[in-house]
């Protein structure tokens, strides 16, 4: 927002600065017009030929027009207001009535405003007299039409005020020509000098000053000779009036509109000055006739010279533009490695551009190549083809286009694309051929590299163990790799052209089509799992990553999919689920209470049937045993727990505890759990003791039954742990990509063993290192899939334990908040995976974990202050951590959102619906 305000403020200041500059210019022009108006009126009176009172040149109107052309339209009133007192001051001394003085100002202002308005309308706000169109508009509206109409108004006002003894048309003719002559000679001088003439003088060279001085001196000398000499000289020398013409042409050609207008002004003053003093060629007749002669002479001379100057300026400007365009074209063609050539068919000669010479291994300074040299440079395998293409173009007049190779002097080869056409003369005879050569060597090399890359890609795809296919949006297969064919027991010809949905069970085919249609409408990458029909008729499971391939216009051309068989994983997951259900059923049938605590005596988790737990979990979970149990009993429990350290023996103690006024008691058995935790198995035998006398005869059987039950519980826990370990080993399939890489390396060694034993040893060492790394990863993954603490002490306590261990090992400070009442195992695994990513990739020194629950869902938020990363790039990468966590959440109909900014940390937000 601040940038926008700054930009607007700057624009306002710039506009204000421009407006102030325009106002200052208008005021200066107005003052100069006022002064010039007064003095030119006096000069006009002085230019009246005697006898009589007719002024040959009336300049105030022209000066007023020039002033209007130099300021914006909105400032015209300033010019008119400034000229009004100058007009009255110059006319009042002549004894003319005030009404007539005011009438003349009206006619003068009308002439200036009329001409300026139309010139502005058709030309714009700048008139430089260097365009023939602009000059024509000036001549028509400013120099002729405005004086023509204003003279009618002027003479009418003279007659209305009772002045003037001559006829209406005589007064109109003299005044019209006087205003036309003044406009033609004075306005161009003022406008061209103000609009850039002074800058041109400041930047001119001394040679330019010398030329201008010689021109001015020569024109002045000739002008004095012609216009200030005796009349008899002009009478005896009819060509005398043409003597200034060479100097005027000189000024026109060399100095443009500014020079010729200045020269014409000098000639005008010399001619009128000589006539006033009775000298020169314009003194033979009456004053009226002499005035008309001077006016027509100067008008006829001025118009062609000014038109010639405008045409010369336009031609020079066009030539400069043409040169610039030619230079730009040459630069563009050089940048695009395009050269030109011309073949004179009649004379069998050729002309090559510098770029064409370079393509053929020549230097720009080398002589032009001949057609024979052209064919000798073409690769021998391409010569016949080129000869046929050129012959066909010359014979039929069709365009010539061919790609061919050119042999370079250093032995290298360049590819050239040649294009051309035949140019015929008036008799339709082929005279010459012109064309372009384009260096396409890099394009050819890129095409070769692309073909090689495609071959490598095809080879890589075919060698993959994953199933790879491409298909149309309607599920029709267009490509399958060998692994795909082997898996389904069909050939490539049998599969291509059929819908891949035929390989799916009928009940999911429509859903699969809908998913593909949705992906085609919203392109991206989607991962999914579904059932497939195996060759033996059984049902298997696949995991597929589908990616839409759009065209340039955004429409989906094809879709590509990479899949793998996850049947064993699905079966293992189902077996684990069934095992967990069996174990849970057994635990629910046991009468024992189980409590998990750490070595400090803090309760982490528990298991009990609802009817067996006489207190709420909040009264003991997360609290120390010394704060929950009587001190004597608590110390006995801690002593037994201390004796368990480093052993696998069972510690047994008898307890007696009063809860809600009821005396409870029985044996408690303590065994070591994972890490430094202790599992207490407690049984309430109060009722059994009360019936001890009645059941004493069966005591031995009861003890034996208890022993068997405990052993059964231990075996069930061991069986559950073993089952989880076995499943963890099965899940190492996530590392198949790395194993595939090892397989590729071994295959490469098999196909092409190293030349020496040392290289073989190095390759084997590298394979050994990769194998060790895979072993370590599998071991870690197996451990991570078996969080025993989660079963025994609950989600919150398990996370607290995990975060404490994580902070200690990774030296990262973790802040943990939990407000939940229920349990959800998925949140534990997602939080642990997120913390691993913080440790491995973020570089953060602190993190936070927030776990909350409402009536509808669980929410987990993991945030760090690390480097951040590109989320989309991470999704496309080879890592499985975030992908597996996201899939786990999606299976539970939850949401998984990762936001990250470079150097701004990362936030993971997971929501899972609460069980209904």
């Amino acid at each position: 927002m601040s940038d926008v305000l700054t930009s607007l403020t700057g624009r306002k200041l710039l506009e204000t600065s421009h407006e102030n500059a325009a106002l200052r210019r208008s005021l200066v022009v107005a003052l100069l017009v006022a002064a010039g108006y007064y003095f030119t009126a006096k000069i006009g009176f002085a230019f009246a030929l005697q006898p009589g009172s007719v002024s040959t040149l009336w300049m105030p109107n022209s000066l007023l027009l020039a002033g209007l052309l130099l300021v914006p339209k909105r400032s015209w009133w300033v010019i008119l207001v400034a000229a009004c007192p100058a007009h009255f001051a110059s006319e009042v001394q002549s004894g003319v009535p005030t009404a007539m003085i005011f009438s003349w100002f009206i006619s003068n202002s009308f002439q200036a405003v009329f001409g300026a308005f139309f010139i502005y309308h058709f030309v714009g706000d700048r008139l430089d007299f260097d365009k023939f169109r602009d000059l024509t508009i000036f001549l028509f509206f400013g120099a002729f039409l405005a004086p023509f109409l204003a003279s009618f108004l002027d003479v009418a006002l003279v007659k209305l005020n009772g002045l003037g003894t001559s006829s209406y048309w005589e007064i109109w003719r003299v005044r019209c020509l006087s205003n036309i002559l003044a406009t033609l000679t004075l306005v161009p001088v003022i406008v061209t000098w103000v609009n850039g003439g002074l800058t041109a003088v400041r930047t001119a060279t001394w040679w330019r000053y010398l030329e201008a001085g010689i021109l001015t001196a020569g024109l002045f000398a000739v002008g004095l000779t012609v216009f200030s000499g005796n009349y008899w000289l002009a009478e005896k020398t009819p060509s005398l009036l043409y003597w200034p013409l060479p100097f005027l042409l000189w000024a026109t050609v060399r100095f443009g509109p500014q020079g010729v207008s200045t020269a014409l002004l000098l000639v005008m003053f010399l001619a009128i000055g000589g006539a006033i003093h009775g000298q020169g060629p314009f003194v033979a007749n009456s004053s009226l006739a002499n005035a008309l002669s001077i006016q027509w002479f100067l008008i006829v001379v001025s118009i062609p010279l000014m038109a010639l100057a405008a045409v010369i300026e336009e031609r020079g400007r066009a030539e400069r533009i043409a040169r610039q365009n030619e230079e730009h074209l040459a630069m563009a063609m050089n940048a695009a490695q395009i050269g030109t050539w011309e073949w004179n068919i009649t004379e069998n000669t050729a002309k090559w551009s510098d770029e064409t010479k370079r393509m053929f291994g020549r230097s720009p300074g080398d002589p032009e190549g001949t057609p024979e040299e052209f064919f000798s440079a073409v690769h021998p395998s391409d010569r016949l083809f080129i000869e046929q293409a050129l012959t066909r173009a010359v014979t039929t007049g069709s365009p010539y286009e061919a790609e061919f190779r050119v042999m370079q002097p250093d032995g290298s080869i360049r590819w050239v694309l040649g294009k051309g056409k035949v140019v015929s003369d008036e008799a339709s005879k082929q005279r010459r051929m012109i064309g372009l050569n384009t260096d396409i060597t890099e394009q050819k090399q890129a095409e070769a590299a692309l073909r090689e890359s495609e071959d490598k890609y095809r080879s890589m795809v075919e060698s993959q163990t994953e199933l790879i296919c491409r298909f149309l949006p309607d599920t029709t297969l267009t490509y399958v790799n060998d692994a795909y064919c082997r898996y389904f027991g069909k050939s490539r010809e049998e599969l291509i052209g059929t819908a891949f949905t035929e390989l799916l069970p009928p009940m999911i085919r429509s859903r699969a089509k809908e998913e593909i249609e949705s992906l085609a409408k919203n392109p991206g990458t989607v991962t999914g799992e579904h059932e497939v029909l195996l060759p033996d008729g059984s049902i298997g499971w696949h995991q597929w990553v589908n990616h839409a391939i759009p065209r340039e216009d955004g429409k989906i051309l094809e879709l590509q999919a990479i899949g793998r068989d996850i049947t064993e994983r699905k079966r293992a997951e189902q077996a684990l689920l069934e095992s967990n259900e069996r174990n849970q059923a057994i635990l629910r049938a046991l009468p024992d209470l189980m409590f998990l605590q750490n070595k400090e005596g803090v309760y982490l988790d528990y298991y009990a049937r609802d009817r067996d737990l006489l207190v709420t979990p909040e009264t003991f979970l997360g609290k120390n045993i010394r704060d929950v149990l009587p001190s004597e009993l608590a110390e006995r429990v801690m002593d037994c727990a201390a004796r368990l350290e480093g052993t696998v023996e069972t510690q047994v103690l008898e307890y007696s505890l009063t809860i809600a006024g009821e005396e409870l008691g029985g044996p408690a058995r303590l065994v070591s759990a994972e890490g430094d935790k202790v599992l207490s198995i407690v049984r309430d035998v109060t009722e059994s003791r009360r019936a001890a006398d009645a059941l004493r005869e069966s005591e031995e059987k009861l003890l034996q039954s208890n022993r068997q039950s405990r052993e059964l519980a231990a075996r069930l826990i061991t069986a559950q742990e073993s089952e989880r370990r076995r499943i963890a080993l099965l899940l190492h399939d996530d590392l198949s990509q790395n194993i595939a890489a090892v397989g590729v390396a071994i295959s490469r060694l098999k196909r092409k063993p190293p030349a020496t034993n040392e290289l073989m040893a190095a390759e084997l060492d590298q394979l050994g290192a990769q194998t060790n790394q895979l072993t370590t990863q599998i071991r870690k993954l197996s451990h991570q899939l078996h969080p025993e603490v989660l079963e025994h002490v609950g989600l919150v306590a398990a996370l607290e334990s995990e975060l404490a261990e994580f902070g200690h090992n990774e030296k990262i400070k973790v802040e943990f908040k939990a407000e939940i009442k229920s349990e959800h195992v998925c949140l534990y695994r997602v939080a642990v995976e997120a913390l691993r990513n913080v440790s491995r990739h973020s570089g953060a020194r602190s993190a936070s974990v927030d776990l909350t629950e409402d009536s509808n869902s669980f929410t987990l938020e993991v945030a760090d202050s690390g480097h951040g990363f590109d989320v989309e790039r991470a999704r496309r990468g080879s890592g499985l951590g975030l992908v597996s966590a996201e899939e786990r959440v999606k299976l539970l109909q939850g949401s998984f959102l990762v936001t990250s900014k470079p150097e701004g940390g990362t936030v993971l937000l997971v929501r899972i619906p609460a069980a209904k």
Side-chain angles (χ1 to χ4, degrees), residues 650-665:
T650 302
Q651 297 292 323
V652 181
L653 63 85
E654 291 290 333
Y655 74 93
S656 177
L657 190 63
T658 301
I659 299 179
E662 184 178 357
E663 185 75 19
L664 303 176

Side-chain angles (χ1 to χ4, degrees), residues 105-383:
F105 183 74
I106 293 175
S107 65
N108 293 348
S109 300
F110 170 77
Q111 176 185 335
V113 172
F114 181 89
F117 175 81
F118 283 100
I119 293 173
Y120 260 95
H121 179 73
F122 290 105
V123 175
D125 58 356
R126 185 180 178 90
L127 177 65
D128 290 326
F129 296 94
D130 58 351
K131 299 181 181 66
F132 186 77
R133 175 184 175 276
D134 295 354
L135 176 64
T136 303
I137 292 171
F138 166 75
L139 292 176
F140 181 76
F141 289 105
F144 289 103
L145 186 58
F148 178 83
L149 298 177
S151 296
F152 284 107
L153 178 62
D154 193 7
V155 177
L157 293 174
V158 170
K159 292 299 183 181
L160 286 176
N161 285 279
L163 299 179
T165 58
S166 301
S167 66
Y168 182 94
W169 291 108
E170 287 181 355
I171 299 174
W172 178 89
R173 181 178 60 184
V174 174
R175 291 185 179 276
C176 180
L177 291 178
S178 175
N179 291 332
I180 290 174
L181 177 59
T183 303
L184 283 174
T185 55
L186 191 60
V187 174
V189 174
I190 296 174
V191 173
T192 54
W193 278 93
V194 173
N195 282 345
L198 297 177
T199 303
V201 170
R202 287 195 299 268
T203 58
T205 62
W206 69 273
W207 282 104
R208 194 74 166 168
Y209 282 113
L210 180 61
E211 181 183 7
I214 296 174
L215 172 61
T216 303
L219 182 61
F220 186 77
V222 171
L224 286 177
T225 304
V226 174
F227 300 111
S228 297
N230 294 324
Y231 174 73
W232 61 268
L233 179 61
E235 188 177 12
K236 291 183 178 181
T237 311
S239 63
L240 190 66
L241 283 176
Y242 297 101
W243 287 11
L245 187 59
F247 293 94
L248 294 175
L249 290 174
W250 182 0
T252 301
V253 175
R254 293 289 296 159
F255 294 93
Q258 181 183 0
V260 70
S261 61
T262 306
L264 286 172
L265 184 65
L266 177 61
V267 171
M268 180 190 68
F269 280 120
L270 291 175
I272 296 176
I276 292 173
H277 295 86
Q279 296 175 339
F282 303 110
V283 295
N285 301 311
S286 64
S287 60
L288 181 60
N290 292 337
L292 292 176
S293 298
I294 294 174
Q295 290 168 344
W296 280 115
F297 169 75
L298 293 174
I299 291 171
V300 171
V301 170
S302 299
I303 294 175
L305 290 175
M306 293 180 65
L308 177 61
V311 170
I312 292 174
E313 286 294 316
E314 282 192 317
R315 179 177 179 182
R317 186 164 50 252
E319 290 176 351
R320 289 192 297 272
I321 294 174
R323 283 195 299 271
Q324 292 175 356
N325 292 337
E326 185 176 355
E327 292 171 357
H328 293 164
L329 178 61
M331 291 175 61
M333 293 180 68
N334 288 336
Q337 295 183 329
I338 298 177
T340 60
W341 54 270
E342 181 178 348
W343 175 30
N344 191 315
I345 302 174
T346 305
E347 300 177 1
N348 196 31
T349 59
K351 291 178 63 177
W352 294 357
S353 68
D354 293 345
E355 187 64 21
T356 297
K357 291 179 181 179
R358 185 194 63 78
M359 294 180 196
F360 284 80
R362 293 168 171 260
S363 300
D366 292 346
E368 300 292 345
T370 64
E372 291 75 13
E373 292 173 338
F374 166 77
F375 283 107
S376 65
V378 175
H379 194 278
S381 301
D382 300 336
R383 289 174 186 170

Side-chain angles (χ1 to χ4, degrees), residues 772-791:
N772 292 335
Q773 184 181 2
L774 286 173
T775 303
T776 302
Q777 291 176 347
I778 293 172
R779 187 183 303 112
K780 289 182 178 179
L781 180 61
S782 300
H783 176 73
Q784 293 166 1
L785 290 173
H786 185 64
E788 295 180 355
V789 64
L790 190 62
E791 299 177 7

Side-chain angles (χ1 to χ4, degrees), residues 868-889:
F869 65 98
D870 188 336
V871 177
E872 294 302 323
R873 183 176 180 183
R875 293 180 187 276
R876 297 192 298 268
S878 59
L880 296 174
L882 287 178
V883 175
S884 62
E886 183 175 5
E887 288 302 318
R888 184 177 291 113
V889 172

